[in-house]
C-alpha cells in the first residue's frame, strides 16, 4: 500500500491536472449515432498549412464519470505545440445512482463496456481520416500518432494492434492501421499484472466483465484477454513509446515494465521513458514539466 506521503502527492498532482478549465474544440464530429461517439478537433495554433494528427484517448479507468473534458487542456497544449488534435470520446462503464466516489475508490461506476468500448475505439480510428479531412483540413492523416493516458493508454496500444487480434475478432483488421506510432502514457498495458496489483480497484476484471463466481470469472478473464490485452498483442510492427512516472501509485511502473518485457520477448523494442519524481497525472498536466516530455515523444514520431 502507498504511504501517506505518496497518497498526498498523488492527490496534489491530480488536483493540479484537473484544475485547468476545459478548452472548447474548434470542431466536433460524430463517428456514430450514440451520444458518446464524438471526436473534438483542435487546430494547431501556429497557423500551419499542414500538421500531424494526434489522436487522444482519455483515461479514467474506462468509467463513465471520467469523460474527454478533463483532457481538453492537454489537447490544447498539443495544439499549441503545432499538432492537429482529435480528442475521442467513447462509451464507458455505467454509473450507479448516487454520488460519484473518488477515483480509485472500491465502490462506484463499473469500468468499461464489453464490447461497446472496443467497438467505439475501432470505429473512431477507422472514421478519423475522413472526419479530419472535413472538420480540420489542416490535419494530415498520413502523419497520425495515437496517444492515451492510463486506460486511454491501454486503448491507444490496443488500437495499434488490431491487425494482430485473434482470427475472428470483430475488431481485427487485415493490415496495420497506418500510424506513425503510439505514445502511451502510464498505460494499463499488461492486464495480468494490472489485475494482480488491483489497479483502479479491479477495473481490468470489470472491463472484461470477468467478475462474479470464481469459475465463471476465471473463464471469462482467460477467454477475453487475447482480444483486449496489449501485452498479448505483440509484436505490432508499429513504433511504440511508453512514458511512465516512477512514483505513479495509480498505474504503477511495474505495469509498463511488464509490457516492455513482453514486447522484448516478442522481438519488438518499445521505448520506455521513466520520469523521476513524477506520478500519474503530470503526464497530461500542461503546468507540469512531464507534459513537455510527452509532447517531445509525440513529435519524435510525428515529424
Amino acid at each position: 500500500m502507498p504511504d501517506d506521503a505518496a497518497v498526498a502527492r498523488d492527490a496534489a498532482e491530480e488536483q493540479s491536472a484537473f484544475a485547468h478549465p476545459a478548452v472548447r474544440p474548434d470542431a466536433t464530429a460524430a463517428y456514430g449515432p450514440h451520444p458518446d461517439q464524438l471526436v473534438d478537433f483542435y487546430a494547431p495554433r501556429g497557423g500551419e498549412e499542414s500538421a500531424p494528427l494526434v489522436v487522444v484517448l482519455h483515461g479514467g479507468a474506462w468509467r463513465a464519470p471520467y469523460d474527454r473534458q478533463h483532457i481538453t487542456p492537454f489537447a490544447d497544449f498539443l495544439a499549441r505545440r503545432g499538432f492537429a488534435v482529435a480528442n475521442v470520446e467513447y462509451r464507458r462503464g455505467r454509473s450507479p445512482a448516487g454520488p460519484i466516489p473518488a477515483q480509485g475508490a472500491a465502490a462506484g461506476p463499473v469500468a468499461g463496456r464489453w464490447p461497446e468500448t472496443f467497438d467505439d475505439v475501432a470505429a473512431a480510428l477507422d472514421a478519423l481520416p475522413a472526419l479530419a479531412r472535413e472538420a480540420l483540413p489542416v490535419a494530415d492523416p498520413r502523419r497520425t500518432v495515437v496517444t492515451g493516458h492510463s486506460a486511454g493508454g491501454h486503448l491507444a496500444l490496443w488500437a495499434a494492434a488490431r491487425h494482430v487480434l485473434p482470427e475472428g475478432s470483430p475488431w481485427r483488421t487485415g493490415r496495420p492501421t497506418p500510424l506513425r506510432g503510439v505514445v502511451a502514457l502510464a498505460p494499463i498495458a499488461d492486464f495480468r499484472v494490472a489485475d494482480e496489483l488491483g489497479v483502479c480497484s479491479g477495473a481490468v476484471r470489470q472491463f472484461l466483465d470477468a467478475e462474479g463466481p470464481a469459475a465463471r470469472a476465471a473463464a471469462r478473464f482467460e477467454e477475453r484477454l487475447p482480444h483486449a490485452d496489449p501485452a498479448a498483442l505483440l509484436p505490432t510492427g508499429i513504433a511504440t513509446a511508453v512514458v511512465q512516472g516512477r512514483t505513479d501509485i495509480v498505474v504503477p511502473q511495474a505495469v509498463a515494465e511488464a509490457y516492455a518485457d513482453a514486447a522484448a520477448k516478442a522481438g519488438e523494442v518499445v521505448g520506455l521513458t521513466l520520469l523521476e519524481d513524477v506520478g500519474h497525472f503530470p503526464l497530461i498536466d500542461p503546468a507540469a514539466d512531464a507534459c513537455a516530455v510527452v509532447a517531445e515523444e509525440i513529435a519524435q514520431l510525428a515529424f
Side-chain angles (χ1 to χ4, degrees):
M1 292 291 293
D3 59 29
D4 291 345
V7 171
R9 176 174 181 159
D10 176 70
E13 290 176 338
E14 181 177 10
Q15 182 179 22
S16 176
F18 281 67
H20 306 281
V23 181
R24 294 185 63 178
D26 297 298
T28 298
Y31 63 87
H34 191 277
D36 283 335
Q37 292 174 323
L38 296 172
V39 182
D40 289 337
F41 290 97
Y42 295 79
R45 306 308 188 204
E48 291 82 354
E49 294 183 1
S50 178
L53 177 63
V54 180
V55 181
V56 174
L57 293 161
H58 70 82
W62 312 285
R63 291 182 170 128
Y66 310 104
D67 63 15
R68 71 191 187 282
Q69 294 304 312
H70 78 267
I71 210 167
T72 61
F74 174 73
D76 178 67
F77 176 84
L78 294 178
R80 288 187 278 112
R81 291 293 184 114
F83 299 105
V85 182
N87 185 17
V88 176
E89 191 57 276
Y90 53 88
R91 281 174 284 183
R92 306 166 311 285
R94 297 167 179 84
S95 294
I100 297 169
Q103 183 166 347
V110 174
R113 296 190 192 183
W114 181 284
E116 290 92 341
T117 299
F118 291 114
D119 289 345
D120 288 358
V121 172
L125 268 291
D126 290 345
L128 262 173
L131 292 178
R133 279 192 292 269
E134 182 173 345
L136 196 63
V138 70
D140 183 0
R142 297 168 300 177
R143 293 184 288 160
T144 298
V145 174
V146 179
T147 189
H149 177 240
S150 195
H154 157 263
L155 293 172
L157 295 171
W158 179 88
R162 290 169 58 203
H163 59 292
V164 295
L165 283 166
E167 293 285 349
S169 171
W171 310 294
R172 182 182 168 96
T173 56
R175 60 180 62 88
T177 302
L179 300 174
R180 284 284 180 90
V182 180
V183 179
L185 314 176
I188 305 178
D190 186 305
F191 273 15
R192 290 191 188 279
V193 174
D195 182 56
E196 290 169 2
L197 294 175
V199 166
C200 297
S201 302
V204 168
R205 288 198 176 253
Q206 286 185 355
F207 190 22
L208 299 183
D209 191 22
E211 295 186 299
R216 172 197 174 277
R220 182 68 60 83
F221 186 79
E222 296 299 330
E223 171 192 341
R224 292 184 168 174
L225 207 66
H227 297 268
D229 183 10
L233 299 172
L234 292 163
T236 67
I238 293 176
T240 301
V242 174
V243 183
Q244 174 74 43
R246 285 190 180 273
T247 58
D248 191 332
I249 63 171
V250 179
V251 182
Q253 177 180 330
V255 179
E257 290 179 330
Y259 176 76
D261 289 345
K265 290 176 183 176
E268 189 158 84
V269 177
V270 167
L272 177 57
T273 299
L274 298 173
L275 302 181
E276 297 291 342
D277 299 320
V278 170
H280 193 64
F281 296 98
L283 302 177
I284 59 165
D285 182 355
D289 292 341
C291 203
V293 175
V294 169
E296 181 57 32
E297 292 282 351
I298 294 170
Q300 289 182 18
L301 294 175
F303 288 107

